[in-house]
Amino acid sequence: MMAAIQITDTYYLVLSAALFSIGAVGVLVRRNVLVMFMSVELMLNAVNLTFVAFAKTLNDTSGQVIVFFTLVVAAAEVAVGLAIIVAIFRRRRGMTADDMRVLQG
C-alpha cells in the first residue's frame, strides 16, 4: 500500500528555486533576445510561486495580492517588450543581444 505524499511548502520552494535557476542560466547563457525575454518571465513566475507558497504558509493574503499586481505589471511588460522585440527583428533578422548597442542613438 502506498502512503499518501504530503506536499509541503518545501516542495514549492525547491520548484521555485529550480525555475529561477533555469531562468537565470537562460539570461546569462543565451544571446537570443526572445529566449532572454522568456527566461526573465520564467524568473518572474518563480518569484510569484514563492510569494504564493509563503502566503499559504503564513495564512495571509498579502502574498497573493502582490502576485496579482506582479502579473498585471508582467502583462504590460510583455505587451511593450514583445512589441519592441518584434519591431527590432523585422528590421534586422539575425540580431542578438550583443547587437543591441546599435540602437543607442
Side-chain angles (χ1 to χ4, degrees):
M1 204 170 182
M2 292 190 86
I5 297 174
Q6 175 121 11
I7 297 179
T8 61
D9 297 331
T10 306
Y11 289 102
Y12 292 116
L13 296 177
V14 168
L15 176 63
S16 177
L19 289 175
F20 193 87
S21 299
I22 291 169
V25 167
V27 169
L28 295 174
V29 172
R30 302 297 294 203
R31 290 289 123 212
N32 188 348
V33 181
L34 283 174
V35 174
M36 291 174 70
F37 192 68
M38 287 188 299
S39 296
V40 168
E41 292 298 321
L42 185 66
M43 291 167 59
L44 190 62
N45 285 327
V47 171
N48 285 339
L49 181 61
T50 303
F51 277 138
V52 170
F54 281 126
K56 179 181 170 258
T57 301
L58 301 173
N59 288 328
D60 190 18
T61 59
S62 62
Q64 295 173 357
V65 171
I66 291 172
V67 168
F68 175 73
F69 286 118
T70 305
L71 288 176
V72 169
V73 171
E77 171 199 357
V78 166
V80 173
L82 200 56
I84 292 171
I85 290 170
V86 167
I88 290 170
F89 270 110
R90 284 187 181 171
R91 289 248 186 218
R92 301 175 181 264
R93 291 272 176 201
M95 191 163 186
T96 63
D98 295 331
D99 299 331
M100 288 297 219
R101 70 182 104 107
V102 173
L103 299 175
Q104 286 181 349

